[in-house]
């Protein structure tokens, strides 16, 4: 099943962005797709992969989930929430890092976990699970510094300092460079496809992605994500949504998650967007929920 009449593609085009999505019924083979094989920039949706890897290592005894790790203030991965905003050193357990990473998308926790398990292990798991279009190329600190260099600055801190006093015209020129950033290109940077992420969710929700306790933990924490203005905006209680959002610098706005209806039918949804300068953030966020709701409604109408 596809967006045959082009209504979803037209909706997002009017909002100044393109969309790619895959929504699958978990209890069958039915799916609704739109450019589902297109390579996209995942943003923080890749944190589900990191969480799965960490929780698998916990379950298999390769890491102690209760191990306390100190994260110094100096050199901490930047971000808009969580530990990125702390002025002092923070100490917390590895499993609590998973919680921060999936509930509020904490960047320092993500990079700390990646340092322990390694991007190689995350990519090896992706290959084992058949996620053929998915590659994590670096941690988040490396990514944001690379974006800053794409914009002509030394690193992220330099870009942040520049942005505080830059003129509107300078910001507009930076926005134009940002859209063409090689770091944010799905052909050279960290990448995935909607199909791969829907598959990953399917495998996690059916305990096939790793040890059952690891899958259960990822599901439980995703259900507590704070962000509710994308996929969840398209549904009303008692429909439940467990999700992970992902954004990058006003260019990338994504969300992946599983929608569970009261009748027990479940749907894995992966919606990815890429915006042109000036796109309305709130409108795109709401449209992600609209797209998922339309896809799920079409599948349910077909009996899936």
């Amino acid at each position: 099943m596809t967006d045959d009449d082009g209504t979803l593609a037209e909706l997002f085009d009017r909002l100044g962005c393109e969309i790619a999505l895959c929504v699958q019924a978990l209890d069958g083979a039915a799916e609704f797709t739109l450019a589902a094989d297109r390579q996209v920039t995942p943003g923080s949706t890749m944190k589900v992969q990191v969480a799965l890897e960490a929780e698998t290592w916990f379950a298999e005894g390769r890491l102690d989930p209760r191990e306390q790790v100190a994260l110094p203030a100096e050199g901490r991965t930047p971000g808009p929430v969580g530990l990125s905003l702390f002025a002092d050193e923070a100490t917390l357990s590895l499993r609590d890092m998973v919680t921060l990473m999936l509930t509020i998308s904490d960047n320092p926790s993500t990079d700390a976990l990646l340092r322990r398990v390694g991007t190689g292990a995350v990519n090896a798991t992706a290959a084992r699970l058949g996620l053929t279009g998915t590659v994590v190329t670096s941690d988040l600190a490396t990514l944001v510094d690379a974006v800053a260099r794409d914009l002509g600055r030394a690193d992220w801190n330099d870009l942040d300092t520049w942005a505080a006093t830059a003129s509107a015209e300078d910001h507009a020129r930076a926005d134009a460079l940002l859209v063409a950033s090689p770091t944010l290109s799905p052909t050279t940077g960290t990448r995935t496809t909607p199909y791969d992420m829907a598959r990953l969710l399917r495998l996690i929700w059916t305990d096939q992605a790793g040890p059952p306790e690891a899958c259960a933990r990822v599901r439980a924490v995703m259900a507590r994500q704070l962000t509710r203005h994308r996929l969840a905006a398209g549904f009303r209680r008692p429909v439940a949504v467990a999700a992970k959002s992902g954004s990058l610098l006003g260019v990338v706005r994504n969300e992946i998650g599983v929608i569970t209806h009261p009748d027990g039918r479940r749907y894995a949804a992966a919606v990815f967007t890429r915006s042109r300068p000036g796109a309305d953030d709130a409108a795109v966020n709401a449209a992600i929920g609209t797209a998922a709701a339309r896809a799920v409604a079409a599948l349910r109408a077909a009996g899936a």
Side-chain angles (χ1 to χ4, degrees), residues 94-244:
L94 291 172
R95 66 181 171 188
D96 283 345
M97 289 182 188
V98 172
T99 299
L100 284 181
M101 179 175 62
L102 291 186
T103 56
I104 63 169
S105 206
D106 187 72
N107 288 344
S109 294
T110 304
D111 279 357
L113 290 166
L114 268 175
R115 284 193 291 270
R116 301 302 296 272
V117 301
T119 56
V122 173
N123 288 329
T125 294
R128 174 178 63 82
L129 297 179
L131 311 183
T132 58
T134 299
V135 178
V136 176
T137 60
S138 73
D139 66 9
L140 299 177
T142 301
L143 184 150
V144 296
D145 280 344
V147 169
R149 289 192 293 272
D150 291 342
L151 300 185
R153 313 312 301 185
D155 55 24
W156 184 262
N157 287 335
D158 182 36
L159 178 64
D160 195 42
T161 300
W162 168 85
T165 58
S167 67
E169 292 78 9
D170 286 339
H171 277 288
R173 284 191 289 271
D175 286 344
L177 290 173
L178 188 61
V179 172
S181 162
T183 305
L184 298 187
S185 168
T187 61
T188 55
T190 293
R191 54 197 177 272
T192 190
T193 69
Y195 179 81
D196 276 6
M197 287 298 99
R199 176 177 174 81
L200 175 63
L201 294 172
R202 173 187 288 273
L203 294 173
I204 291 172
W205 254 254
T206 56
D207 289 340
Q208 298 178 75
E213 56 266 48
C215 293
R217 164 81 170 157
V218 173
R219 294 194 299 266
V221 183
M222 285 180 66
R224 296 181 176 181
Q225 181 187 227
L226 184 62
T227 298
R228 307 298 294 174
H229 58 284
R230 290 184 177 164
L231 287 181
F235 302 91
R236 296 290 178 267
R237 294 187 183 279
V239 177
V241 178
K244 180 68 195 79

Side-chain angles (χ1 to χ4, degrees), residues 29-95:
E31 61 182 20
F32 186 105
T33 63
L34 172 58
D37 290 326
R38 178 190 297 161
Q39 289 209 296
V40 295
T41 301
S44 289
T45 63
M46 54 77 70
K47 292 172 182 175
V48 175
Q49 294 177 256
V50 179
L52 174 65
E53 195 66 33
E55 290 291 341
T56 295
W57 285 38
F58 298 161
E60 293 176 350
R62 288 187 278 170
L63 279 178
D64 180 356
R66 297 165 297 181
E67 178 186 340
Q68 299 291 307
V69 178
L71 299 178
E74 184 177 356
R76 186 175 287 155
T77 307
V81 297
L83 298 179
S84 295
L85 306 182
F86 284 19
D88 302 313
E89 179 176 283
T91 301
L92 65 164
S93 69
L94 291 172
R95 66 181 171 188

